[in-house]
Amino acid sequence: MAEETLSNLLQEERTFAPSPEFAAQANGTQELYDQAAADREGFWADQARKYLTWDTDFTEVLDWSEAPVAKWFGGGTLNASVNCLDRHVEAGNGDRVALHFVGEPGDTKDFTYAELHEQVQRAANVLSGLGVVPGDRVAIYLPMIPEAVVAMLACARLGAPHSVVFGGFSADALRSRIADGEAKVVITADGGYRRGKPSALKPAVDDAVSGETTVEHVLVIKRTDSEVDWHEGRDLWWHEQLEAAEPEHIPESFDSEHPLFILYTSGTTGKPKGILHTTAGYLAQCAYTSHVVHDVHPESDVYWCTADIGWVTGHSYIVYGPMALGATQVMYEGTPDTPHQGRWWEIIADKKVSVFYTAPTAIRACMKWGEEFPNAHDLSSLRLLGSVGEPINPEAWMWYRRVIGGDRTPIVDTWWQTETGAIMASPLPGVTATRPGACQLAVPGIDLDVVDEAGNSVPDGSGGYLVARSPWPGMLRGIWGDLERYKETYWSRYKGLYFAGDGAKKDEDGNVWVLGRVDDVMNVSGHRLSTTEIESALVSHPKVAEAAVVGATDAMTGQAVVAFVILRSEALHEADEEGEGGELVTELRNHVAREIGPIAKPRQILVVAELPKTRSGKIMRRLLRDVAEKREVGDVTTLADSSVMDLIKEGLAT
Ligand code: WT7
């Protein structure tokens, strides 16, 4: 975020205190802060016992002796799927709707907790019939359909960590994630509906598991009824298998630290990191934050999180948090503007959604489409709004509050990461007077700070880096197969502090403002992308000699991918003949989409003759960002050849 925007942000002084009515019914209270401050570990022990059903109670809260790998709730055993299903059915809430599914074409179907419970038991029996045992990995590559929830909870029931791969990722991205996690089974679908038409998934799986692979079986869910290639012996129809399976499955009880899932996220190198989460601490923090931050009242709320199951938000705030509470939620398959730009608001009115959780990029898109769309629907059921994924600019926050929240609902801006597992910083909606644009403060039990280069806490009014000072239950337990990278990435910058990779400021009132990544990671529409990963994809194209990628500020998507490429001489010739090289640029953009996925497609590709490098050969992305954001180019004195920037600017001007 540019400095000038920053100082505007920090002058933001509007605050919105919770209404007495909201405060009176809120789950999150001031006492939580007091209790956590008095005894953090005791506080978490209380939450773990309050929110989870244990088969064996734990005997130790935190074991940090093998730091930075934490062990929470040692000696305890439980089953995550039992906590999300069985116990609600046993408590007499089996008839409560768990999911109001809304398909993009308009088909709808409700699933009660009892129905999901049965589906999950059948699916668990199918998987164990295929030889899946505790500890085996199962890859899940699905659209936003209820079976995605069933598949995840069936894996959890078996103690087989799932590795969900976002359905928008390419076959190559899927292949490398399957290979890294050594998945035994893949669960996919023929396709899903997107932007008014079926979008195939099975071909990417066929491609990803071709050749040498650890995958023994592919379970295929029928959603779009499209033609699929079939590999006898390997491929199995999900519906046939579930139908034939026993409806009952006796769950095993697992250790608190039993691996629950792996989820890949982009880092500063080309290779995505498999973030590892374990069972009890993660589930406890998800349930607790769903309860106190999203203020979910399972008996009366209709909750809707618009994230895809392929991202951590879908894991923590569609599956594990809300379902551990036994909440009723909406699950929507498609895009917000299909078939019209009022689709979300229509669904909110129709299902009487009361708690709504989405991303700033979506709010900005809705602002652009115009308030006539939300205004055409009755949104009076809403009582709380949430935001996640990137900084929300105060104007978008104000619009969200006024147009969607009727100037009435609190907004919780929640900061967290794939690595943190669950929400770390956010106002508590019944306690905190909210400030547009800031995630404000650590939730009770979490120990965050903003520190300077030396690791010292900065005073109010100053900026630095966001860190966690103490371990927390939902924290990652490592990077799959790479303990060293885990230590190096998060724990080497400051001794004993978790380095989140985000820049942050404290305002004069002590509120925390997260400003964005300080590493080579971009945030495009709330999705994390690695500059290096996109650079590797570009360089893998035969016409590209070298590439540098930067995240440039973008009014709609937060950041946008801008690539600078040096072509191989043969290709350069071709580009000249085509004039602007337009076709080549399209070819390169599509190449990136094929290699990684459409979300990684550069907004802009600029063909240049040279890249700015330091004497040690490091690309100075800061200068390229200046060009991409059409700013005066900054200090070039550390460049090996200071004329390079002039060359780039000249080249772009012609
Ligand atoms: C990165 C984590 C957490 C689920 C979605 C993204 C940015 C996230 C906020 C927020 C400012 C935010 C950070 C963080 N981020 N929430 N409320 N305000 N920035 O998960 O893909 O792991 O990305 O998203 O830069 O490090 P993720």
Side-chain angles (χ1 to χ4, degrees), residues 18 24 35 49 79 98 127 129 168 176 212 248 319 379 382 510 542 560 576 635:
Q35 286 162 9
R49 291 196 177 102
N79 184 295
L127 288 170
S176 64
E212 206 180 306
E248 268 159 48
V319 183
L379 304 182
L382 288 170
D576 275 349
D635 185 8

Side-chain angles (χ1 to χ4, degrees), residues 171-195:
D172 275 351
L174 177 61
R175 175 190 285 277
S176 64
R177 285 158 176 78
I178 288 174
D180 188 75
E182 299 177 289
K184 199 176 207 174
V185 171
V186 180
I187 304 177
T188 189
D190 49 0
Y193 292 96
R194 232 158 147 89
R195 301 191 195 287

Side-chain angles (χ1 to χ4, degrees), residues 265 311-313 357 360 387-392 413-420 425 437 439 500-502 513-517 523 526-528:
T265 189
W311 308 110
V312 74
T313 309
Y357 192 35
S387 172
V388 63
E390 51 177 322
I392 176 164
D413 175 7
T414 60
W415 175 86
W416 57 295
Q417 310 175 293
T418 305
E419 292 88 339
T420 70
C439 58
D502 280 315
W513 296 70
V514 176
L515 305 171
R517 304 292 307 189
N523 189 326
H527 300 317
R528 242 158 99 169

